[in-house]
Structures are given as C-alpha cells and as structure tokens.
DNA sequence: TGTACATCAGTGAACGCGCGTTCACTGATGTAC
DNA sequence: TGTACATCAGTGAACGCGCGTTCACTGATGTAC
C-alpha cells in the first residue's frame, strides 16, 4: 500500500496488457513468498489495481497458479535440454541432466514447489474443469521426455519410460527434501552419490 | 455442530484427560481431511468443547501439529523395524524395509504428508521455540537409524549414513509423488524397479 | 462538424467465511478451619 | 457439622485478520450517423 502515483489505465484495446502485468506480479510474489503469497488481493495490490479487475483476465486464483506452474514446467524442460546437449558419453550426459534438475530445484525453490510440492491437485483441477485432460497430460511431459531420451542413450535400459521415472523420483526426493528440510545434515556428496546410484541402472537387475 | 448430548466435564483432577481427547480428535481430522482440516476450532468442535479450552493443554495450533508429526514418525520407525526383522539375506531385508516405508506412505498418506510434505518448517519451529534443538534432531532419527542398520548389513557401503540417506530420498520421491500426483501413469513395477536401483548400491562407484 | 451511443478498462463497496487468540467469567467440587 | 474459600475445568463473547467473489457503477475514448 504505497502512495506512489496512481496507475495509468491502459489505452482502449490494450486491456490485454494487464494480463501480462498480473502474470508478472504473480510470479514475483511466488518467488518472494511462496504460493501462499499469491492471493488475488496481493496480486492486485502489486499491480496497482483492484481485485475484481483480475476476473477480466483470469477465472480466479487457481487459474493464476496453474499458469505459474505451467510456465515453471516449461522452464524446467528447457534447463534439462541444456543439460543434455553437453559433451561427453551418454552416462555423462544423463548425469548432466540430473544435475540440471537439481540445480533448478535449488535455485527456484518456490517454483519447484508449485510444480511438484502438492500445492494444487491436478486430478481435482481436472474435475472442476480448470484444466483439460490434454493439459493434465502435457504438464511435465516435456521435461520427462528429456530424461527419457537421456536414459535411452545409455542403451542399458529395457524399459526406458519406467527407468526415466525411477531417475526422476530419486531426483525429486532430494530436490524436495532439500527444499522442505534444509536444516537436515545433508552429506556433502549427496548429489553425486544419488546420481551415481540412479544412473548406475544395473542392466543385470531388470 | 450436532445436537448430541453436551459433553460431561472431567472430574476435578482429571483435566489431563482432555489432552488425550484433543490429540485423538486432531488425529481423526488429519486422517479424514489432511493437515488443513486440523484447525483449533475444528478440533474443539470434534471434542465438544470451545476453542479456548485447548490452550490449557497446547500452546496453540502448531503444538498440535507438531505432536501429530512426532507420533507419525514413531509409527514409521516401528513399521520399518518390523520390515527389518523379516527373514532372508541382508539385501532382502533392506528391500523389506523399503517396502514397509512405501506401504506406510501409501496407507497413511495424510500422516506421511505432515511428516515430509513441507507442511511445517522445523527450522522455523526451532527459531520460535516451539521445539528444542534436541527434538529437531530426534525427529525422524529413529526411522533413519533402521534404514542405516539395514544398509550396514549389506556390507557393501563405504558410507553407511550417506547411502541410507540416498535410499531414503529415493523412497521419499516415490512416496511423495504417488501422494500428490496419483493420476500420473505410474508403471506397474515402479516400486520393485526403484527398490532394485536403490539397493543395488554399486560398491565399485563409491 | 457535431452528437448520441457503444465499448472498454477498470473502480468501490460489500458479502460471508473461518481462522487464531484474548479476555473476563462461571459453576461445580474439594479442602481447611 | 458447618461454612468460607481456593481450585479447577471449562464457557461465551469478542477482537481483527485477509481471503475469494459478487454486484452495480463510472468515466474516458472511439465510432456511426
């Protein structure tokens, strides 16, 4: 609640610009205070408009959170792709992808949390029609695809999809717990150690 | 808000009984509706008392959640110990411990979430004095000890603590994601596949 | 060139909600004299 | 045996909070005739 100059309204026909301002404000609030901080009223305050003005652009609070999660998934997929395009043998590249995943979670903890933290329930969003079945399937699929490709390149997997899921789960375990329990006495080499186990994917066992 | 008979107050000197009733009501609410459902007022309603009566037994809402988490950690440790006392070679027993972990998370999802879901922040609880440093350390330590013992019995680990943490993280990844994203197309054999990778702990790599 | 009108980008006040917590209290029961 | 008093287990009303959402509206700007 600052006393700064009142916001200039957008010129006629440019009302859509407000949508971008809302999205940016929501992202800022997410990064600063986590998903709880992203309330309709807080977003409106940040933009400098009244809360009801948001309804012209979003159906409600959930629609904003969904868009934030969607954007974060796209970012993660991008980060993983960068990791996969490094040099080295397939095992190295899978390791790079894993490290890129963990780096994203470490550097963008609030965004990571809104994706995988159980903040919103995809199944429930589907029921309420906030999301289409297609969207529900697509969310995160691109990021998992990158992991699958890296696992496939190893050439030791008999079920690439399942093994990619295994790797993802291991990474998520560390990413998530480091996020919610930073005070835990994490071993110094926990990242390398975990990645070693996950990418060891012993072909004799499957 | 039922119209059932008014609750009989405890006899003089037996006020402590209310504490147990509160704890039980809180647990029931947790299992039915998750941590969000465990509000001071909801607990009071369930017990049949007024909200302020709780303050005689708990310092506030957080104290109740903390006690719930504590009890759940004890349960998990117990479940893991049961898993470890099965027959079979050390690798089988480690697998049994892993399966016990995943079973607990599957059967008590709300309790699991209050332990590992990032619902409350141990670091923050410590700062506010809701919890002692000793308590913070002890929480979950017993469960991790069981995992460590099972890893030690394998005889292939050069750092039992770190490797136990790796196994825990992998298990947590599956437990947590199955909890928050049940609609994901989980491979049928995901449990066995994950446990295979985690307990494979390749000694050549460490 | 003027003017009535439609459109657009928002505003402002109000709704009911459940929450955690505080405060002063009540009414039954045991105990000391 | 009686009675004043302390203790105990709670009650009941109220506080301020921020929330999502609704409703009817305003005031500037472009457009059709």
């Amino acid at each position: 609640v600052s006393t700064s100059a009142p916001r200039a309204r957008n010129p006629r026909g440019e009302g859509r610009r407000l949508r971008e301002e809302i999205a940016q404000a929501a992202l800022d609030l997410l990064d600063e205070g986590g998903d709880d901080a992203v309330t309709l009223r807080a977003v409106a305050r940040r933009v400098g408009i009244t809360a009801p003005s948001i309804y012209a652009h979003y159906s409600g609070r959930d629609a904003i959170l969904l868009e934030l999660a969607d954007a974060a998934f796209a970012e993660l997929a991008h980060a993983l792709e960068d990791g996969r395009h490094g040099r080295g043998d397939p095992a190295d590249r899978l390791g790079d992808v894993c490290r890129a995943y963990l780096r994203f979670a470490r550097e963008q903890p609030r965004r990571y949390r809104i994706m995988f933290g159980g903040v919103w329930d995809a199944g429930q969003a589907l029921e309420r029609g906030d999301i289409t079945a297609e969207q529900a399937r697509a969310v995160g699929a691109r990021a998992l695809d990158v992991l699958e490709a890296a696992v496939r390149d190893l050439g030791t997997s008999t079920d690439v999809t399942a093994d990619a899921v295994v790797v993802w789960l291991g990474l998520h375990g560390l990413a998530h717990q480091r996020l919610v329990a930073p005070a835990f006495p994490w071993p110094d080499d926990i990242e390398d150690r975990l990645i070693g186990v996950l990418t060891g994917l012993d072909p004799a066992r499957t």
Side-chain angles (χ1 to χ4, degrees), chain A:
Chain A
V1 183
S2 68
T3 335
S4 58
R7 180 177 169 281
R9 74 162 52 184
N10 282 311
R12 199 189 171 84
E14 303 290 326
R16 294 234 129 213
R17 284 189 193 165
L18 184 52
R19 190 190 171 93
E20 290 166 35
E21 288 186 64
I22 291 168
Q24 185 60 52
L27 181 58
D28 291 346
L29 286 167
L30 174 67
D31 285 343
E32 292 166 19
D35 44 277
D36 284 349
V38 185
T39 67
L40 265 184
R41 297 178 103 108
V43 169
R45 270 193 299 272
R46 169 77 52 127
V47 174
I49 55 175
T50 58
S53 301
I54 291 180
Y55 288 91
H57 303 279
Y58 291 90
S59 65
R61 182 182 181 244
D62 287 350
I64 295 178
L65 293 182
L66 187 62
E67 197 168 288
L68 285 174
D70 226 49
F73 269 114
E75 268 186 272
L76 174 61
H78 199 86
L80 297 190
E81 274 160 8
D82 282 355
R84 197 168 111 74
H85 290 140
R87 52 197 84 215
D89 62 22
D92 288 338
R93 291 210 305 275
L94 177 54
D96 287 345
V97 172
C98 291
R99 265 174 277 271
Y101 185 103
L102 295 174
R103 187 185 321 117
F104 178 86
R106 200 178 341 106
E107 293 178 353
Q108 305 287 354
R110 324 271 205 183
R111 299 187 194 184
Y112 187 83
R113 189 162 197 274
I114 212 175
M115 300 159 73
F116 295 116
V119 168
W120 56 280
D121 184 334
Q124 200 175 301
L126 221 163
E127 270 178 34
R128 287 194 315 218
D130 290 344
I131 197 181
T132 69
E134 180 54 36
Q135 280 180 302
R137 217 175 303 114
V139 151
R142 201 171 130 224
L144 195 54
D145 281 349
V146 181
L147 213 44
E148 274 196 37
V151 168
R152 184 178 297 110
D153 287 352
L154 274 186
T156 58
S157 173
T158 56
D159 187 334
V160 171
T161 298
D163 283 336
V165 170
V166 166
V167 174
W168 164 50
L169 291 174
L171 296 174
H172 170 67
L174 176 54
H176 184 247
Q177 278 305 312
R178 215 159 38 176
L179 171 62
V180 303
F184 183 84
W186 297 108
D188 286 339
D189 61 344
I190 188 65
E191 254 196 43
D192 288 337
R193 199 172 277 264
L194 176 69
I195 292 174
V197 170
L198 293 176
T199 63
L201 287 175
D202 190 347
R205 283 197 163 261
T206 44

